[in-house]
Amino acid sequence: MLARDCDVVGTVTDGRALIAAAARLQPDVIVLDVAMPLLNGLDAARQIKRTFPRIKLIVLTMNEDAELAAVAFRAGASAHLLKHSAATELLNAIREVMKGQSYVTPLVAEGLVASLLRGPDVPVPHELTQRQREVLQLLAEGHSMKQVADVLKVTPRTVAFHKYRMMAQLNIKSTAELIQFAIKQRLV
């Protein structure tokens, strides 16, 4: 869809591959999905912006929640669109962010302004570390502790440590409750 109007330098299927491709290709703009496997788009965006602040990020999602748009902008996004937006809207967003502007789809703009005026997200009790968030997302996606360990290149024992540490921090008693927490926090 974009190849006619833009130089598409790469595509990836998960958040970890996105970070690696961003480092390798260092594109001007990245169009990313909030709901990516292995590492969600918001956490990937945060990591990319920390390392490559000049890269512009355009976030796509199915979710019309203005709070999610606010979180995306706080994570470093320059634009926020819905997946069902017209292709011309994506091209407009790319043009705007290349000029140093921000872009928000009109479908969530009003709610986004209200969300931003309310202030920052309510902090999660006992804020999770980046590694804990990664472990939690992978577990919530249905990966076993061994599979999570393989993805993160750590031992299964380290994964178990993070899992049980999170459960204690959050006063959660079961894996099912932990997964529900991940869903509520939009990690999956």
Side-chain angles (χ1 to χ4, degrees), residues 90-152:
L90 178 56
L91 290 171
N92 288 339
I94 291 170
R95 287 184 198 101
E96 289 300 310
V97 301
M98 289 302 296
K99 291 190 282 187
Q101 302 297 314
S102 297
Y103 184 89
V104 181
T105 184
L107 299 170
V108 296
E110 185 177 320
L112 174 61
V113 170
S115 175
L116 291 173
L117 290 174
R118 279 194 299 275
D121 301 333
V122 176
V124 175
H126 311 288
E127 188 69 36
L128 300 178
T129 66
Q130 179 65 34
R131 180 60 86 184
Q132 287 173 326
R133 290 169 59 86
E134 291 171 344
V135 168
L136 181 54
Q137 178 181 347
L138 292 166
L139 290 172
E141 288 176 356
H143 297 281
S144 70
M145 282 202 264
K146 182 176 180 346
Q147 291 169 323
V148 172
D150 290 343
V151 168
L152 298 178

Side-chain angles (χ1 to χ4, degrees), residues 43 46 71 120-129 132-133 136 165-172 177-178 180-187:
D43 284 337
R46 287 181 188 97
V71 171
D121 301 333
V122 176
V124 175
H126 311 288
E127 188 69 36
L128 300 178
T129 66
Q132 287 173 326
R133 290 169 59 86
L136 181 54
R165 175 76 184 215
M166 282 185 286
M167 290 173 72
Q169 279 178 261
L170 300 168
N171 196 28
I172 289 175
E177 284 181 68
L178 193 60
Q180 288 175 336
F181 175 81
I183 292 167
K184 285 179 187 171
Q185 294 302 310
R186 299 184 181 114
L187 294 177

